[in-house]
Coordinates of all heavy atoms in Angstrom, one line a residue:
P1 N 16.4 -25.5 -4.1 CA 16.8 -24.3 -4.8 C 15.9 -23.2 -4.6 O 14.7 -23.3 -4.3 CB 17.0 -24.7 -6.2 CG 16.2 -26.0 -6.4 CD 16.0 -26.6 -5.0
Y2 N 16.4 -22.0 -4.7 CA 15.6 -20.8 -4.5 C 15.9 -20.0 -5.8 O 16.9 -20.0 -6.5 CB 15.9 -20.0 -3.2 CG 17.4 -19.5 -3.3 CD1 17.5 -18.2 -3.7 CD2 18.4 -20.3 -2.9 CE1 18.9 -17.6 -3.7 CE2 19.7 -19.7 -2.8 CZ 19.9 -18.5 -3.2 OH 21.2 -18.0 -3.3
D3 N 14.9 -19.0 -6.0 CA 15.1 -18.1 -7.1 C 16.2 -17.1 -6.8 O 16.2 -16.5 -5.6 CB 13.7 -17.4 -7.4 CG 12.7 -18.3 -8.0 OD1 13.1 -19.4 -8.6 OD2 11.5 -18.1 -7.8
A4 N 16.9 -16.7 -7.7 CA 18.0 -15.8 -7.5 C 17.2 -14.4 -7.3 O 16.2 -14.1 -7.9 CB 19.0 -15.7 -8.7
V5 N 17.8 -13.4 -6.6 CA 17.3 -12.1 -6.4 C 17.6 -11.3 -7.8 O 18.8 -11.2 -8.0 CB 17.9 -11.4 -5.2 CG1 17.3 -10.0 -5.1 CG2 17.5 -12.3 -3.9
P6 N 16.7 -10.8 -8.4 CA 16.9 -10.0 -9.6 C 17.7 -8.7 -9.3 O 17.5 -8.1 -8.2 CB 15.5 -9.5 -10.0 CG 14.6 -10.4 -9.4 CD 15.2 -10.9 -8.1
Y7 N 18.5 -8.3 -10.1 CA 19.5 -7.2 -9.9 C 19.7 -6.5 -11.4 O 19.9 -7.2 -12.3 CB 20.8 -7.6 -9.4 CG 21.8 -6.6 -9.4 CD1 21.8 -5.5 -8.5 CD2 22.9 -6.5 -10.2 CE1 22.6 -4.5 -8.4 CE2 23.9 -5.5 -10.2 CZ 23.8 -4.5 -9.2 OH 24.7 -3.5 -9.3
F8 N 19.6 -5.3 -11.3 CA 19.9 -4.4 -12.5 C 20.7 -3.2 -12.2 O 20.4 -2.6 -11.1 CB 18.5 -4.0 -13.2 CG 18.6 -3.1 -14.4 CD1 19.0 -3.5 -15.6 CD2 18.5 -1.7 -14.1 CE1 19.2 -2.7 -16.6 CE2 18.7 -0.8 -15.2 CZ 19.0 -1.3 -16.4
W9 N 21.6 -2.7 -13.1 CA 22.4 -1.5 -12.8 C 22.6 -0.8 -14.1 O 22.5 -1.4 -15.2 CB 23.7 -1.7 -12.0 CG 24.5 -2.5 -12.8 CD1 24.7 -3.9 -12.7 CD2 25.5 -2.1 -13.8 NE1 25.8 -4.3 -13.5 CE2 26.2 -3.2 -14.2 CE3 25.8 -0.8 -14.2 CZ2 27.3 -3.1 -15.2 CZ3 26.9 -0.7 -15.2 CH2 27.6 -1.9 -15.7
S10 N 22.7 0.5 -14.0 CA 23.0 1.3 -15.2 C 23.8 2.6 -14.8 O 23.4 3.1 -13.8 CB 21.7 1.8 -15.9 OG 22.0 2.6 -17.0
D11 N 24.9 2.8 -15.6 CA 25.6 4.0 -15.3 C 25.1 5.1 -16.2 O 25.1 4.9 -17.4 CB 27.2 3.8 -15.7 CG 27.8 2.8 -14.6 OD1 27.4 2.8 -13.4 OD2 28.7 2.2 -14.9
Q12 N 24.7 6.3 -15.6 CA 24.1 7.4 -16.4 C 24.8 8.7 -15.9 O 24.6 9.1 -14.7 CB 22.7 7.4 -16.1 CG 21.9 6.1 -16.6 CD 21.9 6.1 -18.1 OE1 21.8 7.1 -18.8 NE2 22.0 4.8 -18.6
Y13 N 25.5 9.4 -16.7 CA 26.0 10.6 -16.5 C 26.7 10.7 -15.1 O 26.4 11.5 -14.3 CB 24.9 11.6 -16.4 CG 24.2 11.7 -17.9 CD1 23.0 11.2 -17.9 CD2 24.9 12.4 -18.9 CE1 22.3 11.3 -19.2 CE2 24.2 12.5 -20.2 CZ 23.0 11.9 -20.3 OH 22.4 11.9 -21.6
H14 N 27.7 9.7 -14.9 CA 28.6 9.7 -13.7 C 27.9 9.3 -12.5 O 28.3 9.5 -11.4 CB 29.3 11.0 -13.5 CG 30.0 11.6 -14.7 ND1 31.0 11.0 -15.2 CD2 29.7 12.6 -15.5 CE1 31.5 11.7 -16.3 NE2 30.6 12.7 -16.5
H15 N 26.7 8.6 -12.6 CA 26.0 8.1 -11.5 C 25.6 6.6 -11.8 O 25.3 6.3 -13.0 CB 24.6 8.9 -11.2 CG 24.9 10.3 -10.9 ND1 25.4 10.6 -9.7 CD2 24.7 11.4 -11.5 CE1 25.6 11.9 -9.5 NE2 25.1 12.4 -10.7
R16 N 25.7 5.8 -10.8 CA 25.2 4.4 -10.9 C 23.8 4.1 -10.3 O 23.7 4.4 -9.0 CB 26.3 3.5 -10.2 CG 25.7 2.0 -10.3 CD 26.8 1.0 -10.2 NE 27.6 1.0 -11.4 CZ 28.5 0.2 -11.7 NH1 28.9 -0.8 -10.8 NH2 29.2 0.2 -12.8
Y17 N 22.8 3.8 -11.0 CA 21.6 3.4 -10.6 C 21.5 1.9 -10.4 O 21.9 1.2 -11.4 CB 20.5 3.9 -11.6 CG 20.4 5.4 -11.7 CD1 21.3 6.2 -12.5 CD2 19.5 6.1 -10.9 CE1 21.3 7.6 -12.6 CE2 19.6 7.5 -10.9 CZ 20.4 8.2 -11.7 OH 20.3 9.6 -11.8
Q18 N 21.0 1.4 -9.3 CA 20.9 0.1 -9.1 C 19.5 -0.3 -8.5 O 18.9 0.5 -7.7 CB 21.9 -0.4 -8.1 CG 23.3 -0.3 -8.5 CD 24.4 -0.5 -7.3 OE1 24.5 0.4 -6.5 NE2 25.0 -1.6 -7.5
I19 N 19.0 -1.4 -9.0 CA 17.7 -1.9 -8.6 C 17.9 -3.4 -8.2 O 18.4 -4.2 -9.0 CB 16.7 -1.8 -9.6 CG1 16.4 -0.4 -10.1 CG2 15.2 -2.4 -9.1 CD1 15.4 -0.3 -11.2
I20 N 17.5 -3.8 -7.0 CA 17.5 -5.1 -6.6 C 16.2 -5.6 -6.0 O 15.5 -4.8 -5.2 CB 18.7 -5.4 -5.6 CG1 18.9 -6.8 -5.3 CG2 18.3 -4.6 -4.3 CD1 20.3 -7.1 -4.8
G21 N 15.8 -6.8 -6.3 CA 14.5 -7.4 -5.8 C 13.4 -7.3 -6.8 O 13.7 -7.0 -7.9
R22 N 12.2 -7.7 -6.3 CA 11.0 -7.7 -7.1 C 10.1 -6.6 -6.6 O 9.4 -6.9 -5.6 CB 10.4 -9.1 -7.0 CG 11.2 -10.1 -7.8 CD 10.5 -11.4 -7.6 NE 11.3 -12.5 -8.3 CZ 12.4 -13.2 -7.8 NH1 12.7 -12.8 -6.5 NH2 13.1 -14.0 -8.5
I23 N 10.1 -5.5 -7.2 CA 9.4 -4.3 -6.6 C 8.1 -4.1 -7.6 O 8.1 -4.5 -8.8 CB 10.2 -3.0 -6.6 CG1 10.7 -2.6 -7.9 CG2 11.4 -3.3 -5.5 CD1 11.6 -1.3 -7.8
S24 N 7.1 -3.5 -7.0 CA 5.9 -3.1 -7.8 C 5.5 -1.7 -7.3 O 5.8 -1.2 -6.2 CB 4.9 -4.1 -7.4 OG 3.6 -3.7 -7.9
S25 N 4.8 -1.0 -8.2 CA 4.4 0.3 -7.9 C 3.3 0.3 -6.8 O 3.0 1.4 -6.2 CB 3.7 0.9 -9.3 OG 2.6 0.3 -9.7
S26 N 2.8 -0.8 -6.5 CA 1.8 -0.9 -5.3 C 2.4 -1.1 -4.0 O 1.8 -1.2 -2.9 CB 0.8 -2.0 -5.6 OG 1.4 -3.3 -5.8
D27 N 3.7 -1.4 -4.0 CA 4.5 -1.7 -2.7 C 4.5 -0.4 -1.9 O 4.5 0.7 -2.5 CB 6.0 -2.1 -3.0 CG 5.9 -3.5 -3.6 OD1 5.0 -4.2 -3.5 OD2 7.0 -3.8 -4.2
D28 N 4.7 -0.6 -0.7 CA 4.9 0.7 0.2 C 6.4 1.1 0.0 O 7.3 0.2 -0.1 CB 4.7 0.3 1.6 CG 3.2 0.0 2.0 OD1 2.3 0.7 1.4 OD2 2.9 -0.9 2.7
T29 N 6.7 2.4 0.1 CA 8.0 2.8 -0.1 C 8.6 3.5 1.2 O 7.7 4.2 1.9 CB 8.3 3.7 -1.2 OG1 7.3 4.9 -1.1 CG2 7.9 3.0 -2.6
M30 N 9.9 3.5 1.4 CA 10.5 4.3 2.5 C 11.8 4.8 2.0 O 12.7 4.1 1.5 CB 10.7 3.3 3.7 CG 11.4 4.1 4.9 SD 12.0 3.0 6.1 CE 10.4 2.5 6.8
L31 N 11.8 6.1 1.9 CA 13.1 6.9 1.6 C 14.2 6.5 2.7 O 14.0 6.8 3.9 CB 12.9 8.3 1.5 CG 14.1 9.1 0.9 CD1 14.4 8.6 -0.5 CD2 13.8 10.6 1.1
L32 N 15.2 5.8 2.3 CA 16.3 5.5 3.3 C 17.4 6.5 3.4 O 18.0 6.6 4.5 CB 16.9 4.1 2.8 CG 16.1 2.9 2.7 CD1 16.9 1.8 2.2 CD2 15.4 2.6 4.1
H33 N 17.7 7.2 2.3 CA 18.8 8.2 2.3 C 18.5 9.3 1.2 O 18.1 8.8 0.1 CB 20.1 7.5 2.0 CG 21.2 8.4 2.1 ND1 21.9 8.8 3.2 CD2 21.9 9.0 1.1 CE1 22.8 9.6 2.9 NE2 22.9 9.7 1.6
G34 N 18.8 10.4 1.6 CA 18.8 11.5 0.5 C 17.4 11.9 0.1 O 16.5 11.7 0.9
T35 N 17.2 12.5 -1.1 CA 16.0 12.8 -1.7 C 16.1 12.3 -3.3 O 17.1 12.1 -3.7 CB 15.8 14.4 -1.8 OG1 16.7 15.0 -2.7 CG2 16.0 15.1 -0.4
L36 N 14.9 12.2 -3.7 CA 14.8 11.6 -5.1 C 15.3 12.7 -6.0 O 15.6 12.4 -7.3 CB 13.4 11.2 -5.5 CG 13.0 10.1 -4.6 CD1 11.5 9.6 -5.0 CD2 13.9 8.9 -4.7
R37 N 15.5 14.0 -5.7 CA 15.9 15.1 -6.6 C 17.5 15.1 -6.6 O 18.0 15.9 -7.4 CB 15.3 16.3 -6.3 CG 13.8 16.4 -6.5 CD 13.2 17.6 -6.1 NE 11.7 17.6 -6.3 CZ 11.0 17.9 -7.3 NH1 11.7 18.3 -8.4 NH2 9.7 17.9 -7.2
E38 N 18.1 14.6 -5.6 CA 19.5 14.8 -5.6 C 20.2 13.4 -5.3 O 19.6 12.4 -4.8 CB 19.9 15.7 -4.3 CG 19.3 17.0 -4.5 CD 19.7 17.9 -3.3 OE1 20.5 17.6 -2.5 OE2 19.0 18.9 -3.1
H39 N 21.6 13.3 -5.6 CA 22.4 12.0 -5.4 C 23.2 12.3 -4.3 O 23.6 13.3 -4.0 CB 23.2 11.9 -6.7 CG 22.4 11.9 -8.0 ND1 22.3 12.9 -8.7 CD2 21.7 10.9 -8.6 CE1 21.5 12.7 -9.8 NE2 21.1 11.5 -9.7
P40 N 23.5 11.1 -3.5 CA 22.8 9.8 -3.6 C 21.6 9.8 -3.0 O 21.2 10.6 -2.2 CB 23.9 9.0 -2.8 CG 24.5 9.9 -1.9 CD 24.5 11.2 -2.4
F41 N 20.8 8.6 -3.3 CA 19.6 8.4 -2.6 C 19.3 6.9 -2.7 O 20.0 6.0 -3.4 CB 18.3 9.1 -3.3 CG 18.0 8.6 -4.7 CD1 17.3 7.4 -4.9 CD2 18.5 9.3 -5.8 CE1 17.0 6.9 -6.1 CE2 18.1 8.8 -7.1 CZ 17.4 7.6 -7.3
A42 N 18.4 6.4 -1.8 CA 18.0 5.0 -1.7 C 16.6 5.0 -1.2 O 16.1 5.7 -0.3 CB 18.9 4.2 -0.8
V43 N 15.8 4.1 -1.9 CA 14.4 3.9 -1.5 C 14.2 2.4 -1.3 O 14.5 1.6 -2.3 CB 13.5 4.5 -2.7 CG1 12.0 4.2 -2.3 CG2 13.7 5.9 -2.9
A44 N 13.5 1.9 -0.3 CA 13.2 0.6 0.1 C 11.7 0.4 -0.4 O 10.9 1.2 -0.2 CB 13.5 0.2 1.4
Y45 N 11.4 -0.8 -0.9 CA 10.1 -1.2 -1.3 C 9.6 -2.4 -0.3 O 10.4 -3.3 -0.2 CB 10.0 -1.6 -2.6 CG 10.2 -0.5 -3.7 CD1 11.4 0.2 -3.8 CD2 9.0 0.0 -4.3 CE1 11.4 1.2 -4.7 CE2 9.1 1.1 -5.2 CZ 10.4 1.7 -5.4 OH 10.4 2.8 -6.2
Y46 N 8.4 -2.2 0.3 CA 8.0 -3.1 1.2 C 6.5 -3.6 0.8 O 5.7 -2.9 0.2 CB 7.8 -2.7 2.6 CG 9.2 -2.3 3.2 CD1 9.7 -1.1 3.1 CD2 9.7 -3.4 3.9 CE1 10.9 -0.9 3.8 CE2 11.0 -3.0 4.6 CZ 11.6 -1.8 4.4 OH 12.8 -1.5 5.0
R47 N 6.3 -5.0 1.0 CA 5.1 -5.6 0.8 C 4.6 -6.4 1.9 O 5.4 -7.3 2.4 CB 4.9 -6.3 -0.5 CG 3.5 -6.8 -0.8 CD 3.5 -7.5 -2.2 NE 4.3 -6.8 -3.2 CZ 5.1 -7.4 -4.1 NH1 5.1 -8.8 -4.1 NH2 5.7 -6.8 -5.0
E48 N 3.6 -6.1 2.6 CA 3.2 -6.9 3.9 C 4.3 -6.8 4.8 O 4.6 -7.9 5.5 CB 2.8 -8.2 3.6 CG 1.6 -8.3 2.6 CD 1.1 -9.7 2.2 OE1 1.7 -10.7 2.6 OE2 0.1 -9.8 1.5
K49 N 5.0 -5.7 5.1 CA 6.0 -5.4 6.0 C 7.3 -6.1 5.7 O 8.2 -6.4 6.6 CB 5.5 -5.6 7.4 CG 4.4 -4.8 7.8 CD 4.0 -5.0 9.3 CE 2.8 -4.1 9.6 NZ 2.4 -4.1 11.0
R50 N 7.4 -6.8 4.6 CA 8.6 -7.5 4.1 C 9.4 -6.7 3.1 O 8.7 -6.3 2.1 CB 8.3 -8.9 3.7 CG 7.9 -9.8 4.8 CD 7.4 -11.2 4.5 NE 8.1 -11.8 3.4 CZ 7.8 -12.8 2.6 NH1 6.5 -13.2 2.7 NH2 8.6 -13.3 1.7
L51 N 10.6 -6.6 3.2 CA 11.4 -6.0 2.2 C 11.3 -6.8 0.8 O 11.5 -8.0 0.8 CB 12.9 -5.9 2.6 CG 13.9 -5.2 1.6 CD1 13.6 -3.8 1.4 CD2 15.2 -5.5 2.0
R52 N 10.9 -6.0 -0.2 CA 10.8 -6.6 -1.6 C 12.0 -6.1 -2.5 O 12.3 -6.8 -3.5 CB 9.5 -6.2 -2.2 CG 8.2 -6.6 -1.3 CD 8.1 -8.1 -1.3 NE 7.9 -8.6 -2.6 CZ 8.1 -9.9 -3.0 NH1 8.6 -10.8 -2.1 NH2 8.1 -10.3 -4.2
G53 N 12.5 -4.9 -2.2 CA 13.6 -4.5 -3.2 C 14.1 -3.1 -2.7 O 13.5 -2.5 -1.8
V54 N 15.1 -2.6 -3.5 CA 15.7 -1.3 -3.1 C 16.1 -0.7 -4.5 O 16.6 -1.4 -5.4 CB 16.9 -1.4 -2.2 CG1 17.6 -0.1 -2.2 CG2 16.5 -1.9 -0.8
V55 N 15.8 0.6 -4.7 CA 16.3 1.4 -5.8 C 17.3 2.4 -5.2 O 16.9 3.1 -4.2 CB 15.1 2.1 -6.5 CG1 15.7 3.0 -7.6 CG2 14.2 1.0 -7.1
A56 N 18.4 2.5 -5.8 CA 19.5 3.4 -5.2 C 20.2 4.0 -6.3 O 20.5 3.5 -7.4 CB 20.4 2.7 -4.2
C57 N 20.8 5.2 -6.0 CA 21.8 5.8 -6.9 C 23.0 6.3 -6.0 O 22.9 6.8 -5.0 CB 21.1 7.2 -7.5 SG 22.3 8.0 -8.4
D58 N 24.1 5.7 -6.5 CA 25.4 5.9 -5.8 C 25.5 5.5 -4.4 O 26.1 6.1 -3.6 CB 25.8 7.4 -6.0 CG 26.0 7.9 -7.4 OD1 26.3 7.0 -8.3 OD2 25.7 9.1 -7.7
M59 N 24.8 4.4 -4.2 CA 24.9 3.8 -2.9 C 25.0 2.3 -2.9 O 24.2 1.5 -2.5 CB 23.5 4.1 -2.1 CG 23.3 5.7 -1.9 SD 22.3 6.2 -0.5 CE 23.5 5.7 0.8
P60 N 26.3 1.8 -3.2 CA 26.4 0.4 -3.3 C 26.3 -0.3 -2.0 O 25.9 -1.5 -2.0 CB 27.9 0.3 -4.0 CG 28.6 1.6 -3.6 CD 27.4 2.6 -3.6
E61 N 26.7 0.3 -0.9 CA 26.6 -0.4 0.4 C 25.2 -0.6 0.8 O 24.9 -1.8 1.4 CB 27.3 0.5 1.5 CG 26.6 1.8 1.8 CD 26.9 2.9 0.9 OE1 27.7 2.8 -0.2 OE2 26.4 4.0 1.0
V62 N 24.2 0.1 0.5 CA 22.8 -0.1 0.6 C 22.3 -1.3 -0.2 O 21.5 -2.1 0.3 CB 21.9 1.2 0.5 CG1 20.5 0.9 0.5 CG2 22.3 2.2 1.4
I63 N 22.7 -1.3 -1.4 CA 22.3 -2.3 -2.3 C 22.9 -3.7 -1.8 O 22.3 -4.8 -1.9 CB 22.8 -2.1 -3.8 CG1 21.9 -0.8 -4.3 CG2 22.6 -3.3 -4.7 CD1 20.5 -1.2 -4.5
A64 N 24.1 -3.7 -1.4 CA 24.9 -4.9 -0.9 C 24.1 -5.5 0.3 O 23.9 -6.7 0.5 CB 26.2 -4.6 -0.5
D65 N 23.7 -4.6 1.2 CA 23.0 -4.9 2.5 C 21.6 -5.6 2.1 O 21.2 -6.6 2.5 CB 22.7 -3.8 3.3 CG 22.1 -4.2 4.6 OD1 22.5 -5.1 5.3 OD2 20.9 -3.6 4.9
A66 N 20.8 -4.9 1.1 CA 19.6 -5.4 0.7 C 19.8 -6.8 -0.1 O 18.9 -7.6 0.2 CB 19.0 -4.4 -0.4
H67 N 20.8 -6.9 -0.8 CA 21.0 -8.3 -1.5 C 21.2 -9.3 -0.6 O 20.6 -10.4 -0.6 CB 22.3 -8.0 -2.3 CG 22.5 -9.3 -3.3 ND1 23.8 -9.8 -3.6 CD2 21.6 -10.2 -3.8 CE1 23.7 -10.8 -4.3 NE2 22.3 -11.0 -4.5
R68 N 22.0 -9.1 0.7 CA 22.2 -10.1 1.6 C 20.8 -10.4 2.3 O 20.4 -11.6 2.5 CB 23.1 -9.7 2.8 CG 24.5 -9.7 2.2 CD 25.5 -9.5 3.4 NE 25.4 -8.2 3.8 CZ 26.1 -7.1 3.3 NH1 26.9 -7.3 2.3 NH2 26.0 -5.9 3.8
R69 N 20.0 -9.5 2.6 CA 18.8 -9.6 3.3 C 17.8 -10.4 2.4 O 17.2 -11.3 2.9 CB 18.1 -8.3 3.7 CG 18.9 -7.6 4.8 CD 18.4 -6.3 5.2 NE 17.0 -6.4 5.6 CZ 16.2 -5.3 5.6 NH1 16.7 -4.0 5.5 NH2 14.9 -5.4 6.0
L70 N 17.7 -10.0 1.1 CA 16.8 -10.6 0.2 C 17.2 -12.1 0.0 O 16.3 -13.0 -0.2 CB 16.7 -9.9 -1.2 CG 16.0 -8.5 -0.9 CD1 16.1 -7.6 -2.2 CD2 14.5 -8.6 -0.7
E71 N 18.5 -12.4 -0.2 CA 18.9 -13.7 -0.5 C 18.7 -14.6 0.8 O 18.2 -15.8 0.6 CB 20.5 -13.7 -0.7 CG 20.8 -13.2 -2.1 CD 21.1 -14.3 -3.2 OE1 21.8 -15.3 -2.7 OE2 20.8 -14.2 -4.3
D72 N 18.9 -14.1 2.0 CA 18.6 -14.8 3.2 C 17.1 -15.2 3.3 O 16.9 -16.3 3.6 CB 19.1 -14.1 4.5 CG 20.6 -14.0 4.6 OD1 21.3 -14.8 3.9 OD2 21.1 -13.2 5.4
E73 N 16.3 -14.3 3.0 CA 14.9 -14.5 3.0 C 14.4 -15.5 2.0 O 13.6 -16.4 2.3 CB 14.1 -13.2 2.9 CG 12.6 -13.5 3.1 CD 11.7 -12.1 3.1 OE1 12.3 -11.2 3.7 OE2 10.8 -12.1 2.5
A74 N 15.0 -15.5 0.8 CA 14.6 -16.3 -0.3 C 15.1 -17.8 0.2 O 14.4 -18.8 -0.1 CB 15.3 -15.9 -1.6
R75 N 16.3 -17.9 0.8 CA 16.7 -19.2 1.2 C 15.8 -19.8 2.3 O 15.5 -21.0 2.3 CB 18.2 -19.1 1.7 CG 19.2 -19.2 0.6 CD 20.7 -19.2 1.2 NE 21.5 -18.9 0.2 CZ 22.1 -17.7 0.1 NH1 22.1 -16.7 1.0 NH2 22.9 -17.4 -0.9
S76 N 15.4 -18.9 3.2 CA 14.6 -19.4 4.4 C 13.3 -19.8 3.9 O 12.7 -20.8 4.3 CB 14.5 -18.4 5.5 OG 13.8 -17.3 5.0
L77 N 12.7 -19.1 2.9 CA 11.4 -19.5 2.3 C 11.4 -20.7 1.5 O 10.4 -21.4 1.5 CB 10.8 -18.3 1.5 CG 10.5 -17.0 2.2 CD1 10.0 -16.0 1.3 CD2 9.3 -17.3 3.2
S78 N 12.6 -21.0 0.9 CA 12.7 -22.2 0.1 C 12.8 -23.5 1.0 O 12.6 -24.6 0.4 CB 13.8 -22.0 -0.9 OG 15.0 -22.2 -0.2
T79 N 13.1 -23.3 2.2 CA 13.3 -24.6 3.1 C 12.1 -24.8 3.9 O 12.1 -25.7 4.7 CB 14.6 -24.3 4.0 OG1 14.5 -23.2 4.7 CG2 15.8 -24.2 3.1
T80 N 11.1 -23.9 3.8 CA 9.9 -24.1 4.8 C 8.8 -24.7 3.9 O 8.8 -24.8 2.8 CB 9.4 -22.8 5.3 OG1 9.1 -21.9 4.2 CG2 10.4 -22.2 6.3

């Protein structure tokens, strides 16, 4: 068995904020889409060049892709 990928969402003022993965303020970040001052946006968090999670606003397709990637990695790590 593997640990499920953590996921959180909140609807705020007509926007959906989503966080997936295990992120830390010490992770490297990469802006994937938009700017943090405007909607929509998405930010990826990396540690040691591996995706750790994504924070996004109004970008469900980015969250879905990150979910698949993080789940695949969790499965592969649990079998090694």
Side-chain angles (χ1 to χ4, degrees):
Y2 66 95
D3 290 334
V5 177
Y7 172 74
F8 173 81
W9 62 268
S10 179
D11 290 330
Q12 300 289 323
Y13 301 102
H14 308 290
H15 296 287
R16 174 159 288 185
Y17 293 88
Q18 297 172 287
I19 301 171
I20 191 159
R22 293 177 176 85
I23 62 175
S24 168
S25 61
S26 63
D27 292 342
D28 296 320
T29 59
M30 178 187 296
L31 187 62
L32 301 176
H33 181 82
T35 71
L36 298 181
R37 295 182 186 266
E38 297 180 16
H39 305 96
F41 68 80
V43 179
Y45 287 74
Y46 293 90
R47 190 175 314 139
E48 298 175 3
K49 299 182 182 182
R50 289 178 38 206
L51 181 66
R52 300 298 296 162
V54 173
V55 174
C57 177
D58 298 334
M59 300 212 63
E61 65 282 357
V62 172
I63 292 292
D65 180 58
H67 188 214
R68 283 188 295 274
R69 290 175 57 193
L70 291 166
E71 288 255 325
D72 289 347
E73 184 170 322
R75 282 190 193 98
S76 71
L77 291 174
S78 70
T79 60
T80 58

